[in-house]
């Protein structure tokens, strides 16, 4: 059998060890390698010969994924979520197996010592065969795990040749089906490392903390003798293996205190950044240093739009800085161990980490889990090897508080063997695995995408029981974590506020991880040469899962989406609310940190204009406590009108993750209520064609003052979001089935009454006997035109409405938008926590949110008034009674729905404006619960009013 189809942990590799950078000489072999591509496996291995002539080969950077190079000649990216892109026939793979031969010639530095050395590969996908100077070193499996080969005896001063053959498909493919791009290659670092005699073959440290005594206990084990452990700051100088305790400041994600510890022999020295902390589960609660923690987490795939899973320090640090700045405190490394430097940065900056094994067999679900490796004894050694390599590499990191056996791999005894191996290596951390609802082998109860109602039951310990009473009782004693929730695909996710409220209400519920951190859109060009972010199907895949790969809180270029801003607000660790009369309540929701080095900035605004601002003293509020602080009096002489207090918590000084004045949290509440401006003396319509400044034809408004209109019509359609289309709800299919994307409006009557033009219509779709009766009541004074719109369902409505309001067209020269209401970004019924009331300015183009798959976006909520103008100031003012939702774009909802990528949206000669009473909520049904009932837009009698006036 071909080696790449053998179920194996690999051959020739050295025992796994910690990823430690010491002063031993090392040579990075990253750079430009020679490369040759084959469409199938089984080509001659002649290239491993040191004398082989590779002058005709192409060049390829390492680390890299070869399908992202070669202009399509070396295969293309493939995206699937669950289904395998090859026949399910483990451990066999097709003969059509893209294969890349990599070759590098290198010299040793002049100062390179003789003796032992290892050649380390930190990531090869999915199987590699390695030679050095013509000698086969071994075979690698475990794409996201390191392997080292002993090579000291093979090295020569010059002309060393390392050759690597990498296969896209191998037996390992069946356990690496992780909802991401299939991208083969040597995608992590390649390093040659000298191994001194009597050096540091491995380092294993334990660094616990006892909250009761304030003592940290350090033990550093080194397999070879003669090593000493020193820490000048703590006055430690002991032999390796000795236990020593000292008073320390503990490590937490909020206070990531690290100590510099040196481990040295006579021939090698390493510096470790050590954090003291203890993880435990006591009374069914996950605790760190004796205290419960609440995870405000994200799932993070490694991804870059140009380089796939090739990570740099700059990209990894950028991710973590963005997380910290958006109140994220935890990362699940979905679904494999990350680049080792990522964990160093988590230690440094402070995040809780769930480190996940390189295991997922999700595609076997398509065949009823038949032949699933998790339950096949033939796979036991290979899967246990993956668990051992993860723990051996990463266990020195204080940021890691849980090990995860993998993801969506069904159930089976191999999980138990993996769990046993992990506990033998590291009994200090609990184990996680979501795929087995019985929690037979793990220490925490984990679910993904459970509905808020079910989560509430779990929080109360009232969830549905397991059939096995003993396992059921054991599971009920476990803390609960949503390892995935709030599927951040496109517009959304909605409903995360309700999850957070449950987490804070029930001790057992200890938070969760939003799916996921970043959209995996690959930068490419379409058939017309336009730059796009490609998703499944854009590369000619036989099977694919479309844009399901774009489901992150960041756009591919790492711009935060509205979903990330919403999450930041929902999980903010400082809650600012109105207290008793004249006070503001500051609640510290951190688990450990006091509120120190925080400034409180207050402002008082009337009609969106700030009339007063200042700073409040912020006392050192303990974690979990609150304080009420007096506010200053409202500014004297403030004009009449709606007024708001806003209080912001900002950093008082620079931190390693954000500069001074970075906003952590904010609160806002109304001081004076909003009062819409009534018309002046109402004028009787001059005719059915003229009502105040409004011009009409056949009951339709055609213009106001000097502004021409594409007539306002009742609108119920929105371009479906990914959550509307989602595979747990498919609401958009229902909308289309019932024709809501092609509703037509029929004029029933248009009459001039005492002071109004009253127009009655019925809106409905072909093939349906239900619709909406609408009554437009137009009144006016000399300068303004008021619309009172009343809607009444006709017949039996079988589905909720996407939206309800009016849509009209303005001249295409309209560009500037100013509004008073919710902002600055988009918001919807169940995605609105990040919207604060104020006065905002934008442009029509900047009001669009560039989701990778175009869809409904850009709505501003609670708008009191808005002005849309062209370059000369000509335009329209819209005032709500009381408020409305505003959307303005240069294409219709129908054009937006038809687009597949951003360049498909071509501006026309109109700006299309939606003035809505409401829109249906967003939910998370792309992979999770549908919209909660409170946010359903049910067809029912409804009414609202707006007033239009021309701007010159």
């Amino acid at each position: 059998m071909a080696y790449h189809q053998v179920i194996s942990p690999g051959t020739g590799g050295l025992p796994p060890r910690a990823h430690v950078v010491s002063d031993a000489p090392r040579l990075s072999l990253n750079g430009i390698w020679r490369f040759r591509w084959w469409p199938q496996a089984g080509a001659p291995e002649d290239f491993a010969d040191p004398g082989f002539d590779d002058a005709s080969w192409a060049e390829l950077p390492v680390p890299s994924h070869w399908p992202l190079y070669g202009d399509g000649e070396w295969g293309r990216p493939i995206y699937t979520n669950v289904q395998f892109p090859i026949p399910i026939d483990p451990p066999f793979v097709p003969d059509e197996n893209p294969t890349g031969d990599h070759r590098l010639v290198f010299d040793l530095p002049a100062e390179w010592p003789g003796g032992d050395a290892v050649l380390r590969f930190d990531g090869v996908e999915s199987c590699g065969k390695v030679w050095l100077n013509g000698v086969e070193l071994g075979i690698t499996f475990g794409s996201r795990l390191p392997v080292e080969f002993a090579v000291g005896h093979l090295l020569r001063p010059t002309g060393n040749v390392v050759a690597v053959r990498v296969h896209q498909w191998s037996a390992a493919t069946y356990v690496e089906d992780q909802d991401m791009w299939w991208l083969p290659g040597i995608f992590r670092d390649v390093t040659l490392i000298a191994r001194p005699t009597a050096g540091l073959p491995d380092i294993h440290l334990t660094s616990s903390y006892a909250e009761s005594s304030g003592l940290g206990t350090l033990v550093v084990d080194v397999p070879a003798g003669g090593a000493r452990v020193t820490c000048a700051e703590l006055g430690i100088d002991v032999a390796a293996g000795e236990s020593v305790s000292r008073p320390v400041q503990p490590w937490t994600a909020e206070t990531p205190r690290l100590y510099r510890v040196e481990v040295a022999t006579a021939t090698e020295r390493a510096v470790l950044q050590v954090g003291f902390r203890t993880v435990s589960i006591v009374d069914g609660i996950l605790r760190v240093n004796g205290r419960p923690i609440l995870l405000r987490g994200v799932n993070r795939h490694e991804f870059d739009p140009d380089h796939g899973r090739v990570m740099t320090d700059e990209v990894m640090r950028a991710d973590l800085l963005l997380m910290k700045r958006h109140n994220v405190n935890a990362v699940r490394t979905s679904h494999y161990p990350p680049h080792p430097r990522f964990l160093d940065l988590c230690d440094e900056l402070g995040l809780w980490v769930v480190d996940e094994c390189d295991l997922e067999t999700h595609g076997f679900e398509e065949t009823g889990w038949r032949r699933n490796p998790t339950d096949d004894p033939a796979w036991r050694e290979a899967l246990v090897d993956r668990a051992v390599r993860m723990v051996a590499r990463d266990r020195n990191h204080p940021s890691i508080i849980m090990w995860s056996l993998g993801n969506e791999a069904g159930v089976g005894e191999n999980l138990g063997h993996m769990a046993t191996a992990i506990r033998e290596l590291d009994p200090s951390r609990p184990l996680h695995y979501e795929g087995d609802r019985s929690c037979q082998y793990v220490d925490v109860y984990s679910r993904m995408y459970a509905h808020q109602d079910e989560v509430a039951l779990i929080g109360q310990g009232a969830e549905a029981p397991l059939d096995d009473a003993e396992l059921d009782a054991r599971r009920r004693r476990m803390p609960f974590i949503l390892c995935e929730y709030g599927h951040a695909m496109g517009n959304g996710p909605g409903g995360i506020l309700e999850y957070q409220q449950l987490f804070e209400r029930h001790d057992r519920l200890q938070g969760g991880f939003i799916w996921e951190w970043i959209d995996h859109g690959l930068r490419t060009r379409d058939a017309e040469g336009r730059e796009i972010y490609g998703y499944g199907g854009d590369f000619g895949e036989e099977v694919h899962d479309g844009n399901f790969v774009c489901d992150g809180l960041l756009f591919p270029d790492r711009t935060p989406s509205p979903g990330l801003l919403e999450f930041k607000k929902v999980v903010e660790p400082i809650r600012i609310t109105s207290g008793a009369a004249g006070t503001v309540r500051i609640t510290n929701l951190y688990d450990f940190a006091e509120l120190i080095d925080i400034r409180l900035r207050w402002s008082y605004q009337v009609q969106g204009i700030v009339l007063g601002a200042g700073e409040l003293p912020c006392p050192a509020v303990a974690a979990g406590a609150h304080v009420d602080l007096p506010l200053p009096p409202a500014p004297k002489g403030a004009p009449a009108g709606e007024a708001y207090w806003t209080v912001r918590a900002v950093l008082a000084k620079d931190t390693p993750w954000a500069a001074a004045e970075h906003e952590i949290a904010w609160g806002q509440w109304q001081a004076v209520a909003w009062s819409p401006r009534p018309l002046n003396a109402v004028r009787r319509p001059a005719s059915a064609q003229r009502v105040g400044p409004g011009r009409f034809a056949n009951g339709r408004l055609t213009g106001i003052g000097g502004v021409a209109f594409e007539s306002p019509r009742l609108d119920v359609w929105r371009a479906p979001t990914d959550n509307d289309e989602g595979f747990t709800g498919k609401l958009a299919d229902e909308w289309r089935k019932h024709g809501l994307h092609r509703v037509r409006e029929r004029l029933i009557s248009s009459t001039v009454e005492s002071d109004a033009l009253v127009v009655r219509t019925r809106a409905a779709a072909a093939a349906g006997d239900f619709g909406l009766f609408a009554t437009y009541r137009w009144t006016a004074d000399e300068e303004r035109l008021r619309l009172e719109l009343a809607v009444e369902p006709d017949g039996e409505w079988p589905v909720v409405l996407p939206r309800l309001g009016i849509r009209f067209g303005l001249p295409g020269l309209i560009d500037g938008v100013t509004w008073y209401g919710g902002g600055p970004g988009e918001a919807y019924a169940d995605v609105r926590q990040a919207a604060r009331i104020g006065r905002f300015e934008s442009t029509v183009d900047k009001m669009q949110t560039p989701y990778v798959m175009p869809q409904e976006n850009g709505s501003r909520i609670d708008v009191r008034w808005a002005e849309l103008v062209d370059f000369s100031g000509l335009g329209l003012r819209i005032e709500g009674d009381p408020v409305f939702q505003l959307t303005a774009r240069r294409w219709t909802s129908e054009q937006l729905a038809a687009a597949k990528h951003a360049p498909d949206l071509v501006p026309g000669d109109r700006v299309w404006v939606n003035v809505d009473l409401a829109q249906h909520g967003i939910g998370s049904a792309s992979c999770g619960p549908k919209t909660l009932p409170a946010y359903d837009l049910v067809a029912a009698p409804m009414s609202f009013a707006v007033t239009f006036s021309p701007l010159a």
Side-chain angles (χ1 to χ4, degrees):
M1 184 186 296
Y3 66 88
H4 64 279
Q5 301 185 105
V6 175
I7 300 173
S8 166
T11 63
L14 294 168
R17 63 187 183 122
H19 186 274
V20 174
V21 177
S22 73
D23 63 355
R26 56 198 299 121
L27 177 64
S28 172
L29 300 184
N30 295 350
I32 301 299
W33 291 42
R34 291 288 188 174
F35 179 76
R36 177 179 65 181
W37 182 80
W38 301 95
Q40 69 284 320
E45 295 177 347
D46 52 352
F47 76 105
D49 188 318
F52 180 85
D53 183 3
D54 61 14
S56 63
W57 285 21
E59 292 184 334
L60 182 73
V62 170
S64 69
H65 301 282
W66 73 69
L68 302 183
Y69 297 81
D71 294 326
E73 295 181 7
W74 301 338
R76 292 173 178 263
I78 300 171
Y79 168 63
T80 64
N81 169 27
V82 176
Q83 55 192 338
F84 286 109
I86 60 172
I88 302 175
D89 185 25
F92 304 107
V93 297
D95 295 336
E96 296 176 6
N97 187 356
T99 296
D101 291 338
H102 302 68
R103 204 166 184 275
L104 178 71
V105 180
F106 68 95
D107 299 336
L108 295 177
E111 65 277 11
W112 189 266
D116 292 341
V118 299
L119 180 60
R120 180 183 181 97
F121 292 84
D122 279 306
V124 179
E125 184 174 334
S126 71
C127 168
K129 191 173 187 179
V130 184
W131 296 262
L132 180 66
N133 292 333
V135 177
E136 182 180 326
L137 302 179
I139 297 163
T140 75
F141 293 104
S143 296
R144 268 66 65 178
L145 292 161
V147 62
E148 291 183 331
F149 300 104
V151 297
H153 60 295
L154 299 175
L155 291 172
R156 49 201 189 201
T158 61
N160 294 283
V161 179
V162 59
V164 186
R165 169 161 286 176
V166 180
H167 302 289
Q168 176 155 19
W169 312 125
S170 71
T173 299
Y174 291 103
V175 294
E176 294 179 0
D177 182 22
Q178 289 139 321
D179 184 11
M180 59 186 182
W181 293 102
W182 298 91
L183 288 172
I186 304 173
F187 71 98
R188 286 186 183 161
D189 304 303
V190 183
T191 314
L192 182 68
I193 309 170
R195 298 303 314 127
T197 303
L200 299 169
D202 194 11
I203 299 174
H204 172 212
L205 68 87
T206 56
S207 50
S208 60
Y209 176 75
E211 187 180 37
S212 59
S213 64
L215 293 179
T217 299
L218 177 67
V219 181
V220 180
D221 289 314
V222 178
R228 291 201 68 79
V229 178
T230 59
C231 177
E233 187 175 1
L234 295 176
I236 294 174
D237 187 346
V238 297
E242 291 187 24
S243 176
V244 58
S245 297
R246 294 284 190 276
V248 298
Q249 295 173 301
W251 188 98
T252 76
E254 297 165 7
T255 56
R257 180 67 159 89
L258 295 172
Y259 291 86
R260 188 176 188 275
V261 174
E262 294 188 12
V263 185
T265 69
T267 59
E268 188 175 8
R269 171 180 164 274
V271 175
L272 306 179
Q273 299 297 328
V274 175
F276 291 90
R277 60 104 190 92
T278 296
V279 184
S280 61
I281 295 177
V282 179
D283 297 329
I285 303 297
L286 176 67
R287 304 171 190 266
V288 176
N289 302 334
R291 300 192 195 184
I293 62 171
L294 184 60
L295 302 174
R296 301 170 170 90
V298 295
N299 286 274
R300 175 186 175 269
H301 267 296
E302 295 184 320
F303 182 75
D304 177 89
D306 300 302
H307 305 106
R309 284 184 287 282
V310 177
M311 292 287 98
T312 64
D313 266 31
E314 292 77 16
V315 167
M316 290 184 283
R317 184 176 288 275
D319 275 349
L320 288 171
L321 293 178
L322 278 170
M323 289 179 193
K324 294 286 287 188
R325 291 167 186 168
H326 289 86
N327 296 331
V328 173
N329 74 354
V331 180
R332 175 177 175 231
T333 68
S334 51
H335 298 293
Y336 41 81
H339 191 291
R341 273 290 291 153
F342 183 78
L343 298 173
D344 294 336
L345 295 171
C346 289
D347 295 343
E348 172 193 331
L349 294 170
L351 281 101
W352 310 118
V353 175
V354 176
D355 198 0
E356 192 146 271
C357 191
D358 194 7
L359 169 64
E360 181 169 335
T361 67
H362 204 174
F364 286 91
E365 185 178 36
E366 302 285 289
T367 58
W369 296 105
R370 292 188 302 275
R371 305 171 72 187
N372 181 19
T374 307
D375 200 32
D376 183 345
W379 288 86
R380 173 180 172 178
E381 182 185 5
L383 298 192
V384 169
D385 172 76
R386 288 169 180 255
V388 167
R389 285 159 70 188
M390 171 182 70
V391 176
R393 190 195 79 165
D394 294 344
R395 61 185 171 179
N396 292 340
H397 290 280
S399 55
I400 297 173
I401 57 170
M402 271 191 280
W403 303 113
S404 177
L405 300 178
N407 184 67
E408 293 174 322
V411 295
E413 291 188 358
N414 288 336
L415 294 170
H417 295 302
M418 294 169 68
T420 297
I422 289 175
R423 289 188 173 107
E424 289 176 354
L425 282 174
D426 176 35
S428 73
R429 295 174 173 94
L431 299 190
H432 166 276
Y433 176 68
E434 183 273 342
D436 180 7
R437 297 286 175 85
S438 75
C439 300
Q440 183 175 0
Y441 304 117
V442 297
D443 304 300
V444 298
Y445 180 22
S446 176
R447 289 286 304 283
M448 52 176 70
Y449 308 112
H451 191 280
Q452 292 92 332
D453 291 346
E454 183 184 1
V455 173
L457 291 174
I458 294 170
Q460 300 163 41
E463 69 268 28
L466 296 169
D467 292 337
D468 186 308
E470 184 177 346
L471 284 176
D472 183 66
R474 179 175 179 269
R475 194 181 73 177
R476 290 179 192 276
R477 294 192 297 271
M478 292 180 177
F480 177 80
I481 290 169
L482 274 171
C483 68
E484 295 179 21
Y485 80 109
H487 196 255
M489 185 177 179
N491 189 334
I496 58 174
L497 173 66
E498 286 75 11
Y499 281 115
Q500 189 67 21
Q501 290 170 336
L502 289 169
F503 298 158
E504 295 178 12
R505 185 177 306 141
H506 300 289
D507 292 343
R508 186 189 187 192
L509 306 180
Q510 296 198 248
F513 299 85
I514 294 289
W515 185 268
E516 65 170 305
W517 178 237
I518 188 169
D519 287 344
H520 302 201
L522 286 168
R523 200 187 319 266
T524 186
R525 293 190 179 276
D526 64 14
E528 298 178 27
R530 304 173 303 182
E531 185 175 285
I532 61 171
Y533 287 118
Y535 48 76
D538 285 331
F539 299 93
E541 302 101 308
E542 289 182 338
V543 295
H544 65 84
D545 287 298
N547 69 314
F548 203 75
V549 77
C550 295
D551 49 11
L553 294 169
L554 298 182
F555 297 125
D557 64 358
R558 285 185 158 74
T559 300
S561 75
L564 180 56
L565 302 180
E566 178 79 358
F567 185 69
K568 175 186 179 180
K569 175 60 180 170
V570 167
V571 303
E572 56 190 13
I574 304 172
R575 185 153 298 148
I576 303 172
T577 55
S578 175
T583 67
V584 56
R585 173 161 290 189
I586 308 297
T587 304
N588 182 355
L589 297 179
Y590 285 111
D591 297 319
F592 300 90
E594 280 190 317
L595 292 192
I596 55 175
D597 297 325
I598 297 294
R599 288 195 177 107
L600 298 175
R601 304 283 193 198
W602 67 266
S603 65
Y604 185 87
Q605 67 176 41
V606 175
Q607 300 276 13
I609 297 174
V610 174
L611 299 181
E615 182 176 338
L616 297 175
C618 184
V621 184
H626 70 266
V627 65
D628 291 334
L629 303 174
L631 287 166
K636 292 182 179 180
E642 183 181 31
Y644 270 86
W645 287 101
T646 304
V647 178
R648 304 163 52 243
V650 303
L651 293 175
K653 62 181 183 180
D654 292 350
T655 70
W657 48 272
E661 297 299 316
H662 167 76
E663 182 180 278
I664 299 171
W666 59 273
Q668 188 180 62
W669 57 94
Q670 195 178 62
V672 178
W674 166 250
S675 295
R677 186 167 60 122
L679 292 177
N680 296 322
V682 176
R683 295 190 165 210
R684 179 178 175 82
S687 67
Q689 288 74 44
R690 191 80 187 190
V691 183
R695 301 185 300 279
F696 290 80
N698 298 319
R700 297 295 182 185
L701 178 66
T702 60
I704 297 178
V707 182
F709 265 71
E710 186 84 19
S711 298
R713 293 178 181 269
L714 191 69
D715 193 13
V716 299
W717 178 245
R718 73 180 184 196
T721 68
D722 286 317
N723 287 305
D724 295 335
E725 301 279 12
F727 71 67
T728 59
K730 296 194 177 298
L731 178 59
D733 287 350
E734 289 295 304
W735 287 342
R736 285 186 287 259
K737 171 185 172 183
H738 295 293
L740 300 194
H741 60 311
R742 49 181 173 77
V743 166
R744 299 291 182 265
E745 198 169 11
R746 173 175 62 85
L747 178 66
I748 297 173
S749 64
S750 176
T751 60
V752 175
E753 299 185 355
S754 60
D755 62 351
L757 173 65
V758 179
V759 180
R760 294 181 176 86
T761 69
R762 185 179 187 272
D769 65 350
F770 59 92
L772 295 171
F773 285 121
T775 300
Y776 300 78
R777 190 173 190 275
W778 297 97
T779 57
D781 61 17
E782 187 172 315
E783 297 178 346
R784 294 188 298 153
L785 177 68
R786 177 180 171 87
L787 167 64
E788 296 173 8
L789 177 64
V791 176
E792 179 104 15
D794 178 34
E796 197 166 315
W797 272 76
V799 67
V800 296
L801 292 164
R803 74 179 341 131
L804 183 64
I806 58 171
R807 177 172 66 175
F808 54 88
L810 293 178
L813 290 176
I814 294 290
D815 184 53
V817 185
T818 302
W819 74 98
Y820 171 47
E826 73 178 27
Y828 293 82
D830 55 348
V831 192
R832 58 177 297 144
Q833 302 309 307
R836 65 187 85 186
I837 300 300
R839 190 175 295 203
F840 304 100
E841 293 184 3
S842 186
T843 65
V844 170
D845 292 340
K846 289 180 179 178
M847 290 183 74
Q848 314 311 307
T849 304
Y851 294 113
V852 174
M853 169 72 87
Q855 57 197 272
E856 165 60 37
N857 72 90
S859 172
R860 270 55 176 184
I861 63 168
D862 295 336
V863 177
R864 279 75 163 152
W865 58 258
E867 295 181 348
L868 299 93
V869 298
D870 65 15
F871 65 93
S872 69
L874 181 68
L876 184 70
R877 179 181 173 94
I878 311 167
E879 299 175 42
D881 184 1
V883 296
F884 59 92
Q885 285 187 237
L886 173 69
T887 307
R889 53 176 68 103
R890 298 189 182 280
W891 32 80
T892 65
S893 295
E894 291 75 16
Q895 291 168 327
L896 183 59
K900 300 303 180 184
H901 295 93
D904 296 336
L905 295 169
V906 180
D909 61 357
R910 291 284 188 273
V911 168
W912 294 98
V913 179
N914 276 90
V915 173
D916 291 322
L917 168 64
Q919 281 203 44
H920 183 68
I922 297 297
S924 187
S926 57
C927 187
K930 63 181 182 180
T931 302
L932 292 171
Y935 307 117
D936 286 345
L937 183 55
V938 177
M942 289 179 270
S943 63
F944 78 116
V946 290
T947 301
F948 301 98
S949 53
L951 298 172

